[in-house]
Amino acid sequence: MLDIAMFRENADMIRADHDRRGISHDSIDEIIRLDEEWRKAQYDTDQIRRERNSAAKGIAEAKKSGDISRAEEILSEVADLGERIAELGAMADECLRKRDELRMRVPNILHPDVPVGEDDQKNTLHSLHGSKSEFEFEARNHNELIEMNGWVDQSRGAKVAGSRFYFMQGDLARMEMALQQFSADFLIKRGYTLVQPPLMMNRDAYEGVTDLSDFETVMYGIEPDNYYLIATSEHPLTAMRMDEIIEPNELPVKLVGVSQCFRREVGAHGLSDRGIWRVHQFTKIEQIVVCHPEESWNHHEELLENAVDLWDSLGLHYRVVNICTGDMGTVAAKKYDLEAWLPGAGSYKEVVSCSNCTDYQANRLRMRYRTKEGNEAVHTLNSTAVATSRALVAIMEQNQLEDGRVSVPEVLRPYMGGQEILEKLSSLQ
RNA sequence: GCAGACGUCGCUUAGCCUGGUAUAGCGCCGGAUUUGAAAUCCGGUGUCCUAGUGACUCGGGAGUUCAAAUCUCUCCGUCUGCGCCA
């Protein structure tokens, strides 16, 4: 959510941003109109309250001096004030509610470096890492590999839960855990604090961190308790300090979250999504930074560097792209994606997303830090380190052997008792 | 789940019974003093607006009242004990 001061003092900046995104200005003008209306109604209400307060004071004084008739006289004069306050106040509240309902939907102001474009085709190449592996055989896609090795049981997942649920088993499950531990350790060494968050959040906290439309398309709701299963540990970790004033010496807060992530994936279909690429449940290791506003762009680069170093250490080939205006979403001001090369699929696909959300989430979460001038919104950033399901797909496709087995990235072997090759599930042999 | 206690400004705390508009300490900021620092003293320290002799703010919401931190209801959370439990 953008600071209301920006609508009052710098609306042209928001309009210019909407132009870059190619969306209408209408809501900006409506927000400004509602804001003016609210300020007027709020002022009028304050004036009547003021009247009421001074009358109340008069009554208190009259009673104190024993002048009961004087007290009753004042009382009769102000008898209807309560009703007027209630009426005007309700009008003011309604304006404010409408204003902020619209304001919640206005996207963040984009960084100038964000390329302009309609969709992901216009994302620009930032850097290329590693190179395509040469196979002397026809590379399989990951879905074929998990089927022939019995590493993922999709049909029984569908039976006991639903489509896009799965049982991961055998050596692949073992490597999944190794990936979690390796990635967490990698970031702990760089000064990040490991956090295991709640996997459910309440509505109020959740509205602070995400696009409102996600409630319809992404998050699972838990009835009758009104909780939402988290779509990523970014959400609880960022909301962790909502409604707090943070002492400047506590910044930057650097966290590495590990959690299961739950996503409805409404509307996502297609043959290319078979297997574990796009599923309702997966594990993700996530980086989070909460920092001074003037330091967030440095931290954004640092998060990218961490992700790049981590993926380099896994020995994988991928590229980094700078996400364009049309592919950006509501919350981030700038976003890099890492796209891993999938030889079986023959394309680069998204495995990491690295965002600077500036003060957008902090404004919604009322998350501020103390300065000499007053309390100011902090900046929040997040980046995937590893989403294990997708990293496993990249490892399987890039490290596959002719017989369908998969070699384990060297850095993961110590976490797997030295195991070098993922073997077929023994019950299949 | 049951019973009891509790939730006050960044932190700690007084006020609640008996309604009259939040007390003190710590921390932080500014000033005085000092060669400098410490100590001491003075002032400030949340949110909103049309910036005032202004409004709001005591876990959230609602109610009673001219007036609610204070009384009532309700929800949330914390602690203690009991119960259940990986």
Side-chain angles (χ1 to χ4, degrees):
Chain A
M1 185 167 66
L2 301 179
D3 192 333
I4 191 63
M6 194 178 282
F7 290 87
R8 291 174 189 163
E9 295 155 19
N10 218 346
D12 283 344
M13 183 193 273
I14 309 175
R15 290 194 186 95
D17 187 74
H18 280 45
D19 288 342
R20 289 186 72 206
R21 290 175 179 267
I23 57 179
S24 151
H25 294 173
D26 293 355
S27 67
I28 303 174
D29 299 328
E30 180 68 1
I31 288 164
I32 292 170
R33 190 189 67 76
L34 284 165
D35 182 51
E36 283 166 359
E37 208 173 305
W38 167 70
R39 284 155 79 175
K40 176 77 172 67
Q42 187 64 40
Y43 180 79
D44 292 346
T45 312
D46 281 358
Q47 294 315 303
I48 305 173
R49 282 210 178 100
R50 179 184 189 172
E51 218 176 298
R52 182 189 66 182
N53 288 346
S54 79
K57 213 169 274 179
I59 291 170
E61 275 164 23
K63 281 192 175 175
K64 211 174 189 177
S65 62
D67 191 347
I68 301 299
S69 62
R70 174 65 188 147
E72 281 173 357
E73 187 185 332
I74 299 172
L75 205 152
S76 67
E77 282 169 13
V78 300
D80 68 324
L81 287 187
E83 213 165 299
R84 288 171 60 201
I85 289 169
E87 265 173 47
L88 258 175
M91 192 191 296
D93 289 350
E94 183 63 6
C95 289
L96 192 66
R97 192 190 61 76
K98 282 188 193 161
R99 183 196 81 179
D100 286 341
E101 191 177 289
L102 287 172
R103 188 158 66 110
M104 287 282 271
R105 294 175 187 278
V106 172
N108 203 351
I109 303 289
L110 298 171
H111 188 275
D113 290 350
V114 174
V116 176
E118 280 180 20
D119 56 31
D120 59 3
Q121 296 300 306
K122 296 287 168 56
N123 296 340
T124 59
L125 183 66
H126 174 278
S127 56
L128 200 60
H129 304 257
S131 56
K132 292 180 186 172
S133 27
E134 300 289 332
F135 295 108
E136 293 177 358
F137 54 92
E138 183 84 6
R140 296 180 171 95
N141 69 42
H142 89 277
N143 193 48
E144 293 172 285
L145 294 169
I146 60 178
E147 289 291 335
M148 66 189 287
N149 288 297
W151 289 330
V152 178
D153 191 332
Q154 299 180 76
S155 57
R156 291 195 175 107
K159 181 173 66 179
V160 305
S163 78
R164 294 183 193 283
F165 287 96
Y166 56 97
F167 291 87
M168 187 182 294
Q169 50 197 8
D171 284 355
L172 192 69
R174 192 182 194 195
M175 188 164 76
E176 199 275 348
M177 297 182 75
L179 254 179
Q180 289 188 42
Q181 291 214 35
F182 167 72
S183 310
D185 284 354
F186 190 96
L187 288 160
I188 289 167
K189 281 178 200 150
R190 295 193 175 194
Y192 290 70
T193 302
L194 183 62
V195 179
Q196 295 181 351
L199 301 183
M200 300 178 203
M201 290 171 67
N202 62 48
R203 177 96 192 189
D204 186 39
Y206 225 134
E207 282 185 352
V209 289
T210 195
D211 186 338
L212 294 182
S213 65
D214 287 353
F215 285 95
E216 278 70 57
T217 57
V218 177
M219 266 88 71
Y220 285 105
I222 305 289
E223 299 292 346
D225 301 290
N226 294 117
Y227 292 132
Y228 293 86
L229 283 172
I230 61 170
T232 159
S233 61
E234 171 208 333
H235 296 153
L237 261 55
T238 303
M240 204 170 163
R241 289 169 176 269
M242 71 183 282
D243 285 318
E244 290 187 26
I245 293 168
I246 303 172
E247 298 297 336
N249 61 18
E250 291 182 72
L251 298 175
V253 177
K254 294 167 133 187
L255 309 174
V256 47
V258 179
S259 81
Q260 297 290 120
C261 305
F262 304 91
R263 299 190 180 182
R264 296 177 68 201
E265 302 291 359
V266 168
H269 294 289
L271 275 184
S272 64
D273 288 334
R274 284 200 314 185
I276 57 169
W277 180 258
R278 184 187 298 277
V279 284
H280 290 311
Q281 181 185 324
F282 58 94
T283 307
K284 187 151 63 72
I285 290 80
E286 179 84 4
Q287 319 177 60
I288 295 291
V289 170
V290 178
C291 68
H292 287 103
E294 58 274 21
E295 288 171 5
S296 71
W297 294 108
N298 289 337
H299 285 296
H300 191 220
E301 295 301 318
E302 180 186 308
L303 291 180
L304 178 64
E305 191 181 322
N306 290 339
V308 160
D309 291 347
L310 179 54
W311 280 72
D312 282 347
S313 74
L314 290 167
L316 295 168
H317 169 48
Y318 61 93
R319 66 185 184 188
V320 180
V321 296
N322 189 2
I323 299 298
C324 77
T325 54
D327 199 21
M328 186 68 76
T330 308
V331 179
K334 186 180 180 184
K335 178 156 79 173
Y336 297 117
D337 276 3
L338 266 63
E339 297 180 337
W341 170 246
L342 301 184
S347 59
Y348 290 94
K349 296 180 81 172
E350 177 186 342
V351 290
V352 165
S353 206
C354 176
S355 305
N356 185 354
C357 302
T358 62
D359 61 0
Y360 196 84
Q361 293 173 318
N363 281 329
R364 287 192 184 184
L365 292 167
R366 301 165 296 277
M367 200 157 76
R368 298 164 298 167
Y369 75 105
R370 202 186 296 284
T371 77
K372 287 179 189 176
E373 290 75 32
N375 300 326
E376 280 181 33
V378 294
H379 279 196
T380 61
L381 303 94
N382 63 83
S383 171
T384 319
V386 163
T388 59
S389 52
R390 293 199 168 183
L392 291 174
V393 169
I395 292 169
M396 281 189 280
E397 294 207 8
Q398 291 193 28
N399 290 11
Q400 61 183 294
L401 307 175
E402 188 162 13
D403 61 5
R405 296 185 302 160
V406 169
S407 72
V408 177
E410 281 188 30
V411 291
L412 298 184
R413 292 175 188 176
Y415 293 90
M416 297 176 65
Q419 186 172 345
E420 296 178 6
I421 305 284
L422 300 185
E423 304 286 350
K424 181 187 281 196
L425 198 69
S426 56
S427 59
L428 291 181
Q429 283 161 354

